[in-house]
Amino acid sequence: MRERATALLQWLVGGAVIGVICGSASALFLLLLDGATVLRVENPWIVFTLPVAGLAIGWGYERYGATVLAGNNLVLDTLHEDRAAIPVRMAPMVLAGTVLTHLFGGSAGREGTAVQMGASLTDTLAHRFTLSPAMRRQLLLAGVAAGFGSVFGTPVAGVVFALELVAIGRFEALALVPALIASFIGDLTTRAWGIVHTPYPVVAHAELTPRLLGAWALFAIAVAVTTVVFIELTHGLKKLSERRLRRLPFRMFAGGLAVVGLWQLAGTNDYLGLGVPTIVRAFSDPDLPSYAFALKLAFTAVTLGAGFLGGEVTPLFFIGAALGSVFARAFGIPIDLGAGVGLAAVFAAASNTPLALSVMAVELLGVQVMPHVVIVCALAYALTGRRSIYSSQRTPRWKAIRRRTPAAAA
């Protein structure tokens, strides 16, 4: 009884403190990110300096941040193996690196930064107060929840994402209470700092009919294929660049050149940075280019494959929303519904978190997106197999199963 009371007290106090710290960190990050985006939009010539920025960022990480280069995978490995404390320097370094990536035009997201800041700051507190390994793990998950929930303004999704993320198909229910407290307080703290999140349109209600169900099954296949292409291309480019250019600054310089080249070929700024205006546009514009999702995929894979900082969520929102808009127009589905389902489903499949993204879709787009988003997220998640943007996710037996060869059968 005494141990349970102690654990509850640690959950309550720890979750509240983590929420305030992570929510404040997210507020600072979003403020700086918005300023960097505005500066780049008003001065597009800055994008031409992305290769030089990559050289400088890469040098800084190579010299001072070698221990935190693994990013989200370091957080996952720590959760799995009870490693040494996540360096506190991860928080300021990933913050600065991501803001600079966006300032100079790299196509990246923000969830990776928020999650890594939350985990780094939380682990520093856990070691300062010499918490038990079990409590440390639970509060680390609370930090992940607070970072994710506060940066997007979706506290419930933040909780589910943290508990669903660590191992595919397994839910970390023991961390529910601290994650819940941290995520909601983190979101309230971010809003208290005056941060206003991007408003997405509330999608219209659509009756689930056999025809629509069949269309969603086809869309899930399209989502899975797109997701697999993104994961394989991003990981493939990363491995290729590491083989050809052993030092990170040179890899980022080359990646910056490639992004600038893509930018010039595309002839538009739409695929730089987060791409939020195009995401919102996908919900209503029937003239959105049908190839928009493919171009954003290429920009993001090159940016992240070269080692630039950020995350995958918002670019994958862009890819999913644009893909969903194209599919909806082709199959007579309301554009806003197709874009909304696609927005959630591509990242759900890429991160193996279908429950979290279904919840997130409801928080962002309204309850009318149900049950459509759950159907597509679940099917796309199953179809992508063992792949993940997070290589340190643990894979259960059913998702890792391979066809037995005749020799193995013998």
Side-chain angles (χ1 to χ4, degrees), residues 177-237:
V177 173
L180 192 69
I181 295 168
S183 189
F184 273 90
I185 291 182
D187 178 52
L188 290 172
T189 300
T190 300
R191 295 177 190 274
W193 282 110
I195 298 298
V196 177
H197 297 283
T198 302
Y200 290 95
V202 175
V203 302
H205 172 73
E207 194 72 30
L208 182 63
T209 63
R211 178 185 177 279
L212 184 53
L213 183 60
W216 288 139
L218 290 175
F219 185 48
I221 295 172
V223 167
V225 170
T226 302
T227 301
V228 169
V229 170
F230 175 80
I231 293 172
E232 296 297 335
L233 182 59
T234 304
H235 290 174
L237 288 174

Side-chain angles (χ1 to χ4, degrees), residues 37 40-41 107 198-201 268-297 314-326 329 335-336 339-340 343:
T37 301
R40 188 195 70 241
V41 170
S107 176
T198 302
Y200 290 95
T268 176
N269 299 332
D270 290 348
Y271 306 104
L272 302 174
L274 293 170
V276 171
T278 306
I279 297 174
V280 176
R281 177 185 167 194
F283 284 81
S284 60
D285 186 0
D287 296 320
L288 182 73
S290 58
Y291 51 81
F293 77 93
L295 280 180
K296 186 62 173 178
L297 188 155
T314 307
L316 289 173
F317 282 179
F318 183 125
I319 294 166
L323 180 65
S325 176
V326 173
R329 283 179 268 160
I335 293 178
D336 59 345
L343 177 147

Side-chain angles (χ1 to χ4, degrees), residues 2-386:
R2 189 173 186 177
E3 290 181 1
R4 185 179 294 274
T6 300
L8 181 59
L9 181 63
Q10 289 177 329
W11 285 345
L12 293 172
V13 175
V17 171
I18 290 166
V20 171
I21 293 174
C22 292
S24 298
S26 289
L28 174 62
F29 171 50
L30 291 172
L31 187 66
L32 293 174
L33 190 59
D34 185 58
T37 301
V38 170
L39 184 59
R40 188 195 70 241
V41 170
E42 293 178 349
N43 302 276
W45 59 266
I46 290 177
V47 181
F48 286 110
T49 64
L50 179 61
V52 178
L55 197 66
I57 297 169
W59 179 85
Y61 257 77
E62 190 176 70
R63 183 170 178 81
Y64 301 107
T67 56
V68 300
L69 271 176
N72 283 342
N73 288 314
L74 173 61
V75 176
L76 289 170
D77 286 336
T78 302
L79 285 164
H80 286 303
E81 301 167 11
D82 191 28
R83 294 186 172 191
I86 298 173
V88 69
R89 73 177 66 178
M90 172 180 266
M93 290 200 73
V94 73
L95 171 65
T98 303
V99 170
L100 290 173
T101 294
H102 284 276
L103 172 62
F104 293 99
S107 176
R110 51 193 171 183
E111 118 286 341
T113 303
V115 166
Q116 290 164 48
M117 287 195 302
S120 171
L121 296 171
T122 298
D123 212 25
T124 299
L125 286 175
H127 277 77
R128 172 65 66 89
F129 292 99
T130 60
L131 300 177
S132 67
M135 184 57 64
R136 175 201 181 194
R137 176 186 172 86
Q138 291 161 15
L139 292 184
L140 258 179
L141 287 169
V144 172
F148 190 94
S150 61
V151 84
F152 290 110
T154 55
V156 181
V159 175
V160 182
F161 178 79
L163 305 187
E164 195 177 18
L165 174 68
V166 181
I168 303 168
R170 192 178 73 199
F171 201 71
E172 298 283 338
L174 288 176
L176 177 60
V177 173
L180 192 69
I181 295 168
S183 189
F184 273 90
I185 291 182
D187 178 52
L188 290 172
T189 300
T190 300
R191 295 177 190 274
W193 282 110
I195 298 298
V196 177
H197 297 283
T198 302
Y200 290 95
V202 175
V203 302
H205 172 73
E207 194 72 30
L208 182 63
T209 63
R211 178 185 177 279
L212 184 53
L213 183 60
W216 288 139
L218 290 175
F219 185 48
I221 295 172
V223 167
V225 170
T226 302
T227 301
V228 169
V229 170
F230 175 80
I231 293 172
E232 296 297 335
L233 182 59
T234 304
H235 290 174
L237 288 174
K238 182 178 181 180
K239 291 177 182 176
L240 178 63
S241 65
E242 288 174 348
R243 283 201 306 268
R244 297 294 178 87
L245 299 168
R246 303 190 70 83
R247 295 192 58 189
L248 179 62
F250 299 144
R251 295 199 297 271
M252 295 180 72
F253 179 83
L257 285 176
V259 171
V260 171
L262 286 171
W263 172 53
Q264 289 298 289
L265 287 172
T268 176
N269 299 332
D270 290 348
Y271 306 104
L272 302 174
L274 293 170
V276 171
T278 306
I279 297 174
V280 176
R281 177 185 167 194
F283 284 81
S284 60
D285 186 0
D287 296 320
L288 182 73
S290 58
Y291 51 81
F293 77 93
L295 280 180
K296 186 62 173 178
L297 188 155
F299 271 77
T300 308
V302 170
T303 299
L304 298 180
F308 282 94
L309 281 298
E312 298 88 353
V313 175
T314 307
L316 289 173
F317 282 179
F318 183 125
I319 294 166
L323 180 65
S325 176
V326 173
F327 185 86
R329 283 179 268 160
F331 283 81
I333 299 170
I335 293 178
D336 59 345
L337 182 60
V341 170
L343 177 147
V346 172
F347 183 69
S351 61
N352 291 292
T353 56
L355 295 179
L357 269 295
S358 297
V359 171
M360 190 175 195
V362 173
E363 288 187 283
L364 291 176
L365 308 171
V367 73
Q368 293 88 344
V369 77
M370 296 283 278
H372 315 283
V373 70
V374 177
I375 293 168
V376 179
C377 284
L379 289 175
Y381 155 75
L383 290 169
T384 52
R386 60 192 296 179

